[in-house]
Amino acid sequence: MPEPTSLLLTRLHAAGLTDVASVETAAGGQAATAGIARRTDGTTLFVKSFDGPPADDAFALEAEGLAALRDAGMATPQVVHAGRDLLVLSALRTRPATEPFWERLAHTLAHLHTTTTSPRFGWHRDNWLGRRRQVNTWTEDGFEFFARHRLLRWLDEPKVAEALDAADRAALEHLCDRLPELLPERPAVLVHGDLWAGNVMATPDGRPALIDPAVSYTWAEVDLAHLWTTAPPPEAQAFYDLYAELTGLDAGWRDRMPILQLRQHLAVIAQFEPDWGAADIARATLAPFRRRTSREQA
């Protein structure tokens, strides 16, 4: 197996980007090999590749998601090349560690969530969350969509089946049945879909920019919950209050986060080893929904 940087360089040249002189490994990615490619004129590109792509369309669908977010007003990197084995994007900057940056993100994300609506939940085709297919079948009801395609779909994944016992699985099904009681009814809006803190970057001029989307039309709070669960830095705390003010969120939104975060915890369990505590968090969230056995009730 070639070294990651050598593999990326070979694939860049095969894609016609022959002016790339070198590639350095980039940190942060979990599902793919990533690097910073330096061209002979001194400019840089971001590049990533799978050792074995989960499907021929994985990078094309990621590029489509970036374009959808950009068309809706979010800054995203420009797509230079999207092929079966390689995705090449314009280079972004590491986000600044400042409150004004996160406040600006609150404004842009609130704009995305309040100006893009759909009468149905889903997307016009399936796409990818990491190395797992994200099912986006159009669904009229948001509770049904979230239950079937964002929670229960993970139960058949081998690592999830190993991590959750029968009572946990039954608790998840019970929780899904009760979603209309637990969550407010919300419209379907365009979401990033994989908005953990590592996917928040900055443009060369310092504006918030997003990478690695798994877009669909669903509840806006899915993005909020995902960002909340990855422990953003202290300077990000201003983001939440401002986003809530801009979007009219009720005061109980924080209490709903664990339920919405289950989708991401299940996805992490399914794909990564170790799971960074995701299984323990999922079991704790499901605990109130576990049905007591006759022995426990006695």
Side-chain angles (χ1 to χ4, degrees):
M1 177 68 65
E3 289 293 323
T5 54
S6 176
L7 176 67
L8 291 175
L9 186 61
T10 298
R11 290 182 174 175
L12 282 161
H13 287 173
L17 295 165
T18 56
D19 63 336
V20 173
S22 63
V23 180
E24 298 177 1
T25 302
Q30 300 295 336
T33 299
I36 302 298
R38 187 168 300 278
R39 310 178 93 163
T40 54
D41 64 1
T43 60
T44 58
L45 297 168
F46 176 83
V47 54
K48 70 177 183 178
S49 181
F50 292 111
D51 291 338
D56 290 348
D57 63 355
F59 285 141
L61 292 174
E62 182 174 338
E64 180 187 72
L66 290 170
L69 292 171
R70 185 165 56 252
D71 290 346
M74 294 296 306
T76 64
Q78 295 292 324
V79 178
V80 177
H81 173 85
R84 177 184 181 274
D85 298 310
L86 191 70
L87 181 67
V88 185
L89 305 172
S90 61
L92 296 173
R93 291 172 44 194
T94 301
R95 63 175 185 266
T98 64
E99 283 193 5
F101 173 86
W102 285 94
E103 290 170 351
R104 192 166 184 178
L105 177 62
H107 279 279
T108 55
L109 194 65
H111 180 267
L112 173 71
H113 290 161
T114 56
T115 60
T116 59
T117 58
S118 168
R120 297 179 296 170
F121 292 76
W123 190 244
H124 68 101
R125 53 180 168 173
D126 293 349
N127 47 28
W128 295 87
L129 180 65
R131 298 182 67 94
R132 294 296 187 275
R133 185 170 289 277
Q134 177 170 269
V135 178
N136 292 321
T137 305
W138 288 116
T139 308
E140 300 291 333
D141 182 85
F143 300 111
E144 179 186 353
F145 178 79
F146 191 73
R148 180 181 298 179
H149 300 310
R150 296 297 182 263
L151 294 180
L152 296 175
R153 64 82 68 226
W154 296 105
L155 288 181
D156 292 333
E157 293 284 344
K159 290 182 180 178
V160 175
E162 182 180 348
L164 302 183
D165 63 21
D168 292 323
R169 295 164 66 90
L172 181 61
E173 293 170 352
H174 185 209
L175 179 151
C176 286
D177 289 340
R178 292 187 55 195
L179 281 178
E181 306 168 33
L182 301 169
L183 302 175
E185 189 169 355
R186 294 284 194 251
V189 303
L190 181 63
V191 302
H192 176 281
D194 194 9
L195 193 59
W196 69 291
N199 284 342
V200 180
M201 304 286 287
T203 62
D205 61 359
R207 291 175 294 129
L210 303 182
I211 60 172
D212 291 348
V215 298
S216 67
Y217 284 98
T218 187
W219 298 319
E221 288 182 40
V222 167
D223 274 349
L224 189 66
H226 202 161
L227 194 58
W228 182 267
T229 197
T230 50
E235 63 269 14
Q237 296 310 306
F239 165 90
Y240 297 100
D241 290 338
L242 180 55
Y243 176 90
E245 177 185 342
L246 293 168
T247 58
L249 270 182
D250 60 280
W253 69 265
R254 289 177 175 84
D255 297 331
R256 299 191 289 271
M257 293 295 98
I259 292 173
L260 293 165
Q261 288 163 353
L262 270 173
R263 175 255 191 171
Q264 185 57 22
H265 293 317
L266 293 169
V268 168
I269 297 168
Q271 299 187 66
F272 301 112
E273 183 66 42
D275 67 17
W276 302 291
D280 290 339
I281 297 171
R283 285 191 290 266
T285 301
L286 292 172
F289 301 92
R290 289 172 65 110
R291 298 183 186 276
R292 298 175 63 192
T293 65
S294 56
R295 177 178 296 181
E296 290 172 330
Q297 292 172 350

